[in-house]
Amino acid sequence: MRSRLALALLACLATPVFAWIDTGHMVIAQIAEKRLQLDVRRQCEELLAVGGDFKTNTFVTAACWADDTKSRENGAWHYINVHFRTDGKKTDNKPEPENVIWAIEKFSKVLANRSLPKAERADALRYLIHFVGDVHQPMHNVARDTDTFPNGDRGGNDFPVVSPPSLKPEPRNLHFLWDIGGGLFPSVPRPLDVRGKREIADLADRIVALMPATSLSGVDDPDPSRWSAESVALAKSRAYSLPVGSVPTDQYLRAAQRASAERAALAGYRLANLLNKLLHQ
């Protein structure tokens, strides 16, 4: 049975679709929700009934709330720019102090503090569901410095690529190529209808079947700085292996899709662990 499920997922991974921002975050939340302890799931449901809107009023759809409400104030909380160069030159650029690691630590404390207003803790929960996903996306963790972009390429936003005809929407930069998981996630409109809920659940189940928690290392690691370090290593070794201005090969896309599936699985498992720790009574 597992073999057939794995083949089904690999068939999905070979079909370029989109997009990480909504569907990927909801898949991560779906994976996490199934691993929540019963009392923790109940508390999450109670908190998410406060605030939010009709598009983000469930645990799964709340994963998109932080993008829906992104502003100048909280935009930097979605990423961390760990600067590096590939030309042998030195860089002294440092990440901004308020970044995705900072945000996960900040809102973990808010959520765990039961003396705070429910509305504040509810928003903290929404942020955590989203930011744990963001820190597992490799390009949300790096900035490659070059002579052309001495302050960094903004996580690959300034790294042009030529979209293969098969990818829709067409990625024009490396960041967006990885935001869509190299073509991993199908577009699922919100608010979710019955079909959309089924599509999210099915993809989450396939990823879990192919990449169960027992098959991945570091699932129980609670440190978001180490989650980020994993993403940095993956960005350097795999994402930036693509030449600037080139068309991603089928081999590159398959590797990006598989890597994104593994990162989504880890994000889901670790999000559940985090919430179980913060909210278990």
Side-chain angles (χ1 to χ4, degrees):
M1 176 64 72
R2 177 168 292 178
S3 176
R4 290 198 296 271
L5 285 168
L7 289 172
L9 177 58
L10 288 174
C12 173
L13 296 182
T15 305
V17 285
F18 61 97
W20 176 276
I21 293 301
D22 282 353
T23 303
H25 278 291
M26 289 190 287
V27 166
I28 290 167
Q30 181 78 43
I31 292 171
E33 186 177 35
K34 286 194 172 184
R35 297 173 68 88
L36 295 178
Q37 298 169 2
L38 288 178
D39 66 311
V40 173
R41 182 180 295 189
R42 175 186 54 78
Q43 291 179 68
C44 288
E45 290 173 351
E46 291 177 356
L47 286 171
L48 293 175
V50 180
D53 56 40
F54 72 101
K55 291 195 300 182
T56 58
N57 58 5
T58 69
F59 188 90
V60 170
T61 58
C64 304
W65 178 83
D67 271 342
D68 291 348
T69 59
K70 188 184 294 185
S71 67
R72 179 175 297 181
E73 176 188 1
N74 61 32
W77 301 350
H78 294 249
Y79 61 88
I80 178 170
N81 282 336
V82 176
H83 292 265
F84 73 102
R85 296 185 71 120
T86 56
D87 56 9
K89 297 180 180 180
K90 183 181 178 181
T91 178
D92 294 320
N93 292 329
K94 303 295 183 183
E96 293 296 325
E98 292 191 10
N99 54 58
V100 68
I101 297 173
W102 172 91
I104 291 172
E105 293 172 345
K106 169 185 172 67
F107 291 111
S108 292
K109 294 176 183 176
V110 173
L111 180 61
N113 188 346
R114 299 174 190 274
S115 67
L116 292 175
K118 272 193 173 182
E120 188 173 345
R121 295 179 67 226
D123 283 354
L125 174 58
R126 294 182 181 97
Y127 276 131
L128 286 174
I129 296 172
H130 186 88
F131 292 153
V132 171
D134 275 344
V135 79
H136 284 82
Q137 206 278 58
M139 305 307 294
H140 276 247
N141 292 266
V142 291
R144 190 180 76 156
D145 299 354
T146 62
D147 290 343
T148 304
F149 296 104
N151 295 318
D153 68 356
R154 300 184 302 125
N157 275 292
D158 295 320
F159 185 115
V161 301
V162 178
S163 177
S166 55
L167 283 185
K168 303 294 181 183
E170 298 178 349
R172 296 301 183 187
N173 60 65
L174 190 63
H175 186 102
F176 189 68
L177 179 62
W178 280 80
D179 258 350
I180 65 174
L184 173 61
F185 298 108
S187 178
V188 180
R190 292 186 295 131
L192 291 181
D193 57 16
V194 173
R195 179 179 177 179
K197 292 177 182 177
R198 184 172 63 250
E199 290 176 357
I200 294 295
D202 286 350
L203 183 50
D205 287 345
R206 291 174 191 154
I207 290 175
V208 169
L210 185 64
M211 299 174 179
T214 53
S215 72
L216 301 176
S217 62
V219 169
D220 295 326
D221 189 338
D223 188 344
S225 66
R226 287 195 287 267
W227 305 346
S228 175
E230 294 169 353
S231 291
V232 171
L234 181 58
K236 290 180 178 180
S237 65
R238 189 165 300 173
Y240 282 95
S241 66
L242 185 69
V244 175
S246 66
V247 180
T249 64
D250 289 343
Q251 181 181 5
Y252 181 95
L253 291 176
R254 285 194 297 270
Q257 291 161 11
R258 191 174 189 90
S260 295
E262 180 175 329
R263 298 304 288 164
L266 276 171
Y269 301 148
R270 287 167 170 171
L271 174 59
N273 291 344
L274 176 63
L275 297 180
N276 285 335
K277 176 185 177 181
L278 295 175
L279 295 177
H280 181 61
Q281 295 178 327

